[in-house]
Amino acid sequence: MSWQWVVPLVSVLYLGLLFAVAYYADRRASMGRSLVNNPTIYTLSIAVYCTSWTYYGSVGRAAETGVGFLPIFLGPTLMAALWWFLLGKIIAISKANHITSIADFISSRYGKSPMLGRMVTLFVVIGIMPYIALQLKAVAVSLDVLVHRLDAGLAMKGPTAPWDDTALYVAMILALFSILFGTRHLDASERHEGMVTAIAFESIVKLGAFLLVGVFVTFGLFDGFGDLFARALADPQVRRLMTFDAMPGGYVSWFSMTLVAMMAVLFLPRQFQVLVVENVNPAHIRQAAWLFPLYLLAFNLFVLPIALAGRLIFAGQGMDPDTFVLTLPIHGDQVWLALLVYVGGLSAATSMVIVEAIAMSTMVSNDLILPLLLRFRAAFQEDLSGMILTIRRGIIIGLMLLGYLYFRLIGESHTLVSIGIISFAAVAQFAPAILIGIYWQGVSRRGAMGGLMAGFLVWSHTLLFASFAKSGWIAESVLTHGPWGISWLKPQALFGLTVFDPITHSVFWSLLANIGVLVLISLFDRQTAVEQIQALNFVNVFDKGARGGNEYLWSGFVSVADLKKLVSRFIGPVQAESDFANYLQHRLLKLDERTQAPAHLVAFAEKRLTGAIGSASARVMVSSVVKGEELDLHGVMRILDETSQVIEYSQRLELKSRQLEAATRQLQEANERLQELDRLKDEFISTVSHELRTPLTSIRAFSEILRDNEEMEPADRRRFTEIIIKEAERLTRLVNQILDLARIESGKMEWHVAQVDLVEIVRDAMDSTHQLFENKSVRLNYQAPDHPVLLQADRDKIMQVVINLLSNAVKFCAPETGVVEILGREGVDGVGVTVLDNGPGIPREDLEKVFEKFHQVHQARDETQGVPLGTGLGLTICQRIIDRHQGRIWVESELGRGAAFTFLLPRDLQIQ
Amino acid sequence: MKRRKERLVVLTLLGVLAINYPVLSLASLERMVWGVPLLWFYLLAFWVVFVILIALTMRRGPLEKS
């Protein structure tokens, strides 16, 4: 079997399978059953972080530095803990502003500056080139190792011609697949569901393959971890890998690499692509925050064992440690396992290259090429989406060629990790502009630009040129004596700083320059209106009240039709038509095609375009159709500050003062009510004592008369004794009624509500008051209905009311001539009873007072004895009872014509 | 969950402390724990604990279940 044919064939088959996965996912997405809306797929797609570097390079680094490979994975683990709010904020900002790349993010934050977007893109291209070269090198080397078996790993081959170089073909095949994945059609949101699914699939393949080789090495070539580590400990060369002493640069280097990796996991273009742009639901972070570190942990479990095994087995053979993952299975005669490992490595490399190429092609086309093209040929009328796709395809091929070029220049003389870390340090330069920019509104465009520029200059001097010099591409004397012999400019000892390793040295100087320049310029800079608005929108993305202001940016003239035409040139007429219709419908607007577009519609169109061609280009395009000027700076500032902040604060203040006023009013009312209650209580007590004293006084007076006049006529004695008894009875009644009233008012009275017949109650009441009528010879008329009148009530209490009304009526009627009538009432509003008498009646001014406590109508006195007839509580109790039954009681009367007391009760009492 | 953000920041800071000088140097000894090097064991154990702590902090609070 010829491996020379099998291995490339397997590679192409694997890539075909990958494409099938992507195709299937795209199909599912178009049917509305997206696979990507899933936190596990999201997490696996983030694992695009693990590239050939992880797959081959980690083992290589571990074989030389022990645990020195770990910061690259511990950094992201630490960072994942911060994702919930940090990444959450970046995602929220990106969604709100239709941001599709890291260059777009930075340029949008700093006033949609095309210049800044261009700068970031350029830096990304330069910075990521080594990283792509690393993947090409890894795939090429693994292919060579597999094809030539063990030989290629042993010795470096001499330089080969480009057409004979595996890496070139690898680069071209990867470019082809990136084009297939990423640029089949132009999507305004720049989301690629098929690609994400394929990446997630690759993450499983590479992890599975790596774990397999780990298990094989640990348990196949050795007798488990114990055996492997014991033999490593016995070897004096390998022994030092067990502690920190093997780590070059020591703890400082460890720390700086962790820091750089923390930034890289967020800001590498491909990480930004999968974390932010391809994110479907920010809630997926919840799972990714722990599952992703777990994935990294699983990946790193066997790195050190494989490295130690390689060092032990290939001791003294000069085998390249970067190939241990592949050469160990070959050494163990597991050729098929080796082939599987090769596929795993291929998946690690392809996933990185595909996502990176897509992310970078979006950036380069949106921020570098389109703005230039559109500036010069703004009058394009045809559909541009086809041209944009062609541009992006060209960019992908160009990027791969650049990567290949870098590989040819320096690839052979560097290990995988030392190449990759150069890219990491480059990407870390974006961190200040982004992280400080989303929490501090004061960072200005010039500040961010200056910071980036300074950081990149230092980075390229201290790392990029140093790597060129190391590989002999430029004179090596630059490293030892400094450029042009200027010793304080030595790339790896800037200003004579020699205490750090090269990476820490570069990270220290570049981030110092970056942050320093950014902060200093920002402190002394004035931001333009657009910058202020964007800064406000970014920093306060979660604060709905403080956002906005976008629509104030445009004050020129453009018709709705022109605006729509502009948008449709980039996203297609059908999409543009439906987007505009949706927007207008959402805002409840009806606009004629020829009318002038309102400012917010222009802002909407700009946002829509931002999704398709990036914020800087979108701004250029919109300004090309909007006639007139942007609103002047001071106007925007005033509107913005006043509308978004001052108004919000004053609204809050108004709300607070309204709440305070309401609370004060309630307190006043409560206070008044308390005072009223207090007054009533005092009055009640004094009235009660007065009322109690009256009968007591008369009892005492008559008792004294009886005691002192022993020779009193028996008739008088008898009369006086009767008065005493009557007064005592009245006292008892009074006390009973006070107790009743107190019970009712305090809510302690027991109510026994049941179905009762009102006719029967009235009859019973008449029976028990019969004697009163007889004594005074008052006539009682009652026409009872012939059917029972049923209602829900407390029988005894209602009876009490009727008896009270009857006895009142008797009291006020003249003897002999008095007539009392009882009328039953039935109506829609309830049932009730009216008691009429022909007594003296009640004065008009007393009508409302008769129900008050202790109110006595003055005439109501027993003429014979001059004592009050009632207690003054009976009607009060009646009213309370009727109130409790949700009914009502009232009196109608005219002086001299008697009185009519009526109560009405609902038939169905709602029991409380 | 109340104060999730603060908890995550503190967790990260503790993580940075745990895997840097000088705490890390305490584990850099040529000692074996259950047959594996102490340093390697320490870092992996840290990793496992850290992942568990993130997962616990990210758990949905009773108000977030919907």
Side-chain angles (χ1 to χ4, degrees), chain A residues 49 61 67-79 244 247 250-265 421 424 428 503-504 507 511, chain B residues 12 15-17 19-21 24 43 46:
Chain A
Y49 182 75
R61 188 161 167 85
V67 293
F69 66 100
L70 275 177
I72 302 306
F73 306 97
L74 286 171
T77 300
L78 293 173
M79 199 55 171
F244 218 85
M247 172 86 191
Y251 293 101
V252 177
S253 169
W254 172 275
F255 175 79
S256 66
M257 282 176 78
T258 311
L259 182 76
V260 163
M262 283 176 85
M263 300 304 133
V265 77
I421 201 77
F424 270 35
I503 301 294
T504 310
V507 168
L511 282 185
Chain B
T12 312
V16 171
L17 274 181
I19 56 162
N20 271 294
Y21 188 83
L24 189 60
L43 286 169
F46 160 79

Side-chain angles (χ1 to χ4, degrees), chain A residues 534-748:
Chain A
Q534 287 303 93
L536 198 74
N537 283 343
F538 272 53
V539 173
N540 300 314
V541 66
F542 291 121
D543 186 359
K544 286 206 173 83
R547 269 188 293 146
N550 259 327
E551 49 258 51
Y552 300 123
L553 282 176
W554 298 105
S555 65
F557 308 98
V558 60
S559 73
V560 175
D562 281 349
L563 205 56
K564 204 185 288 181
K565 204 156 73 191
L566 174 73
V567 175
S568 61
R569 273 166 56 197
F570 293 95
I571 67 172
V574 183
Q575 187 69 38
E577 188 67 44
S578 83
D579 282 357
F580 269 67
N582 279 343
Y583 178 78
L584 293 178
Q585 198 179 7
H586 185 67
R587 286 230 168 182
L588 302 173
L589 283 175
K590 273 210 170 96
L591 290 177
D592 187 57
E593 294 275 298
R594 271 164 301 180
T595 50
Q596 185 192 328
H600 62 81
L601 189 66
V602 183
F604 166 75
E606 191 196 343
K607 266 201 177 152
R608 206 66 200 77
L609 280 181
T610 303
I613 57 174
S615 59
S617 306
R619 195 156 176 77
V620 172
M621 281 325 292
V622 173
S623 60
S624 74
V625 296
V626 176
K627 297 161 191 72
E629 303 232 318
E630 284 180 20
L631 205 57
D632 83 288
L633 189 142
H634 296 291
V636 174
M637 296 273 303
R638 203 180 54 243
I639 295 169
L640 187 71
D641 284 352
E642 284 174 8
T643 50
S644 11
Q645 287 187 316
V646 181
I647 290 183
E648 204 211 335
Y649 286 135
S650 86
Q651 275 171 351
R652 272 192 215 153
L653 268 178
E654 268 169 32
L655 184 70
K656 274 274 179 295
S657 76
R658 271 202 301 279
Q659 287 169 341
L660 276 177
E661 267 169 29
T664 315
R665 212 165 39 241
Q666 282 171 352
L667 274 176
Q668 269 171 358
E669 277 165 14
N671 189 35
E672 271 163 24
R673 174 121 190 85
L674 272 176
Q675 282 178 347
E676 171 75 8
L677 283 175
D678 192 49
R679 196 178 59 74
L680 284 176
K681 187 203 73 188
D682 285 347
E683 216 167 79
F684 183 69
I685 286 174
S686 81
T687 323
V688 164
S689 11
H690 175 76
E691 294 295 327
L692 288 176
R693 208 174 51 201
T694 320
L696 271 177
T697 314
S698 74
I699 288 172
R700 185 175 160 205
F702 284 108
S703 309
E704 275 172 10
I705 293 172
L706 286 176
R707 187 191 63 192
D708 297 338
N709 301 294
E710 285 183 347
E711 308 86 2
M712 195 183 273
E713 289 286 324
D716 281 340
R717 182 182 292 272
R718 189 181 168 77
R719 198 159 60 83
F720 285 178
T721 318
E722 253 167 31
I723 290 173
I724 291 173
I725 293 170
K726 260 192 185 163
E727 285 300 317
E729 276 172 2
R730 201 160 78 88
L731 202 57
T732 316
R733 215 161 55 234
L734 191 64
V735 171
N736 280 342
Q737 283 182 340
I738 289 172
L739 286 175
D740 266 2
L741 196 64
R743 267 210 298 277
I744 292 176
E745 285 191 340
S746 65
K748 282 183 189 145

Side-chain angles (χ1 to χ4, degrees), chain A residues 410-441:
Chain A
I410 74 147
E412 306 276 331
S413 53
H414 285 67
T415 64
L416 293 178
V417 170
S418 62
I419 300 176
I421 201 77
I422 297 176
S423 290
F424 270 35
V427 165
Q429 304 307 321
F430 300 132
I434 295 178
L435 292 183
I436 303 180
I438 61 171
Y439 285 104
W440 180 32
Q441 275 182 34

Side-chain angles (χ1 to χ4, degrees), chain A residues 228-245:
Chain A
L228 177 58
F229 284 121
R231 281 167 64 182
L233 204 61
D235 187 319
Q237 280 294 310
V238 184
R239 184 190 180 98
R240 47 187 290 280
L241 297 179
M242 308 269 191
T243 64
F244 218 85
D245 308 332

Side-chain angles (χ1 to χ4, degrees), chain A residues 67 70 73-74 77-78 80-82 84-85 225-226 229-230 233 239 242-245 251 254-255 286 289-290 293-294 296-297 300-301 304-305, chain B residues 4-5 8-9 11-12 15-16 19-21 24-25 28-30 32 35-37 39-40 43-44 46-48 50-51 54-55 58-60 64:
Chain A
V67 293
L70 275 177
F73 306 97
L74 286 171
T77 300
L78 293 173
L82 301 178
W84 175 246
F85 57 93
F225 289 112
F229 284 121
L233 204 61
R239 184 190 180 98
M242 308 269 191
T243 64
F244 218 85
D245 308 332
Y251 293 101
W254 172 275
F255 175 79
R286 194 188 288 281
W290 62 267
L294 194 63
L296 293 181
L297 171 61
N300 284 285
L301 214 50
L304 193 63
Chain B
R4 175 179 281 143
K5 186 172 164 180
L8 290 170
V9 171
L11 178 63
T12 312
V16 171
I19 56 162
N20 271 294
Y21 188 83
L24 189 60
S25 68
S28 177
L29 299 170
E30 276 190 18
M32 296 298 232
V36 299
L39 184 61
W40 196 62
L43 286 169
L44 291 187
F46 160 79
W47 210 327
V48 171
F50 195 74
V51 166
I54 298 180
M58 297 304 297
R59 242 180 352 174
R60 278 168 209 272
E64 291 173 294

